[in-house]
Amino acid sequence: MTFNVLMYHEFRERGDVDVMNPSTISVAQNYQDALPTVLFSYIDDFKEQMNFLKSEGYHTLTLQEMKNFYEKGIPCPEKSVLITFDDAFQSVHKYAYPILKKLQFQAVSFVVLGWLSQKKKIFDPTVSAVMSKQELEEMKDVFEFANHTTNLHKRYSNGTTEMQTTSFQELKEDLERCGEYVTYPDVFAYPFGIFASEDTKRLAEVGIHYAFTTVPGINTKSTPLLELHRDTVMLDCTLEKFKTIVERGTKK
């Protein structure tokens, strides 16, 4: 039994993406960065992709179903796919959530707790703003929430992240704080997909049981649980490309 995991970040209408420049992020934490436009999806493409999954009888996994597969040997339903969204950007609430809800799909949001704002902001397509706690709560009928750090989602010019360089005690406290808020505190996504073998060891020691990379590919019973695969659905992903990704995960 295998399953595929999809990763999304940001959504825009066609014409609202500056494909030549990354999008400045806006978060509650004092941190400046920009999101590459390749990590955006056009909302009409996303709708077409989700409609394909529905029409072809795909099952959208919950994290508990995934855990049951690994921990109890309970097979995932046929044609299973786990749909994930990193960083909790406002556009997920505005565009993706209504589509998923209409199709009665399940999904996962990897939350950077320190990035969430206390109050709703007016949606601005020129920046990548993270949603408020209220907006996140409004999606609970579709979304489960998992750990993406509290304040350690920072990247350095040398290619490392703060999650990797912080002390063990600070890492533990940070993940525990985020874990108190999210639905699944022991399910994690590596910031920027960056990790090394030492990181998997540290995560295991602080109680993380599952960690998602950005390494593409299917997940099987033998996939290391702290190195689970995810396929990034990139800007201008055609339906044919999308089919190739998800159909890979239906292999027995």
Side-chain angles (χ1 to χ4, degrees), residues 6-12 25 35-41 46 84-93 96 109-110 115 128-129 131 148 153 189-193 213-214 230-234:
L6 304 175
M7 180 180 68
Y8 294 93
H9 283 78
E10 270 270 54
F11 299 89
R12 291 291 187 273
I25 66 168
L35 187 72
T37 53
V38 71
L39 295 180
F40 282 69
S41 291
F46 179 72
T84 70
F85 300 77
D86 280 13
D87 308 333
F89 289 108
Q90 266 189 320
S91 63
V92 175
H93 181 280
S109 176
F110 285 103
W115 284 13
S128 289
M131 67 182 78
H148 207 27
H153 196 294
Y190 292 100
F192 310 100
T213 69
T214 56
R230 283 197 294 173
D231 285 282
T232 306
V233 183
M234 296 185 180

Side-chain angles (χ1 to χ4, degrees), residues 239-252:
L239 186 58
E240 290 307 311
K241 289 180 182 177
F242 183 78
K243 289 178 181 179
T244 300
I245 293 172
V246 296
E247 288 173 353
R248 213 172 46 210
T250 62
K251 298 176 183 178
K252 297 292 182 65

Side-chain angles (χ1 to χ4, degrees), residues 113 147-152 162-181 185-186 188 199 201-208:
L113 182 60
N147 208 320
H148 207 27
T149 79
T150 299
N151 291 310
L152 301 180
E162 186 158 355
M163 186 217 82
Q164 296 177 293
T165 58
T166 194
S167 71
F168 177 81
Q169 186 60 32
E170 288 172 337
L171 175 66
K172 184 174 185 292
E173 291 174 358
D174 180 277
L175 295 183
E176 286 178 348
R177 184 179 170 193
C178 185
E180 290 173 357
Y181 179 80
D186 65 335
F188 180 76
D199 302 313
K201 295 175 184 176
R202 294 213 306 169
L203 289 181
E205 290 175 10
V206 300
I208 298 295

Side-chain angles (χ1 to χ4, degrees), residues 40-53:
F40 282 69
S41 291
Y42 292 121
I43 194 59
D44 58 329
D45 284 340
F46 179 72
K47 187 173 184 178
E48 186 178 42
Q49 292 159 8
M50 296 302 103
N51 284 334
F52 168 77
L53 294 180

